[in-house]
Amino acid sequence: MAPGTGCSRRRTFPRAAAGFTLLELLVVLVILGLLVGVVAPRFFGQIGKSEVKVATAQIRALEDALDQYRLDVGRYPTTEQGLAALNSPPAGVARWQGPYLKKAVPDDPWGSPYQYRAPGEHGEVDLLSLGKDGQPGGTADAADIANW
């Protein structure tokens, strides 16, 4: 195109259309804050429920490993031998065919070891997590989780 034909015009925009005003940004932040205030409590409430489900599943898996141990050895590990007998053979146990767990015995979801008793007060063996508070009893995610 030849210079001066007028075909190459530059478009200019008003300065106000170039960005957001402070008021618009504040309105968006307030809306986001309200959404977080409504959603966050529901989300964090679900986390406590999932920890209880994990503890329940781990207790079931430990029970299965203990049953396999009993089938091989003829009895459950004693309270003194504990759950460690699932990963390494206790002294004096000849028919141990383990390890009965792929990994080390896990702690409960709150970082405490599972309580184990054999013979148990509620069955042949008792497996117990004291829950989030680490104390006997409790309610909600602080409640004890057991195999009975």
Side-chain angles (χ1 to χ4, degrees):
M1 287 197 192
T5 59
C7 291
S8 63
R9 291 187 187 172
R10 280 176 88 196
R11 296 184 107 185
T12 58
F13 295 100
R15 191 164 186 76
F20 297 106
T21 66
L22 180 61
L23 182 60
E24 290 169 329
L25 291 173
L26 288 174
V27 168
V28 169
L29 288 174
V30 166
I31 291 171
L32 288 173
L34 290 172
L35 287 173
V36 168
V38 170
V39 172
R42 291 184 183 180
F43 174 74
F44 289 115
Q46 296 299 320
I47 290 175
K49 289 180 185 175
S50 67
E51 289 171 333
V52 170
K53 289 180 182 178
V54 167
T56 303
Q58 286 179 335
I59 285 175
R60 274 193 234 120
L62 290 170
E63 276 186 304
D64 291 343
L66 286 165
D67 287 340
Q68 187 62 46
Y69 178 98
R70 183 179 56 89
L71 288 173
D72 289 346
V73 175
R75 61 172 178 79
Y76 288 108
T78 64
T79 302
E80 293 76 28
Q81 292 168 332
L83 296 174
L86 298 174
N87 284 20
S88 58
V93 177
R95 296 185 309 183
W96 191 85
Q97 298 293 317
Y100 298 96
L101 297 172
K102 291 181 181 180
K103 298 179 181 179
V105 176
D107 287 339
D108 69 14
W110 302 279
S112 300
Y114 284 101
Q115 312 251 327
Y116 171 75
R117 287 186 295 260
E121 296 173 11
H122 303 276
E124 290 184 82
V125 294
D126 288 352
L127 277 169
L128 173 72
S129 167
L130 295 176
K132 185 176 184 176
D133 64 353
Q135 302 296 320
T139 58
D141 60 351
D144 297 347
I145 302 155
N147 67 331
W148 61 86

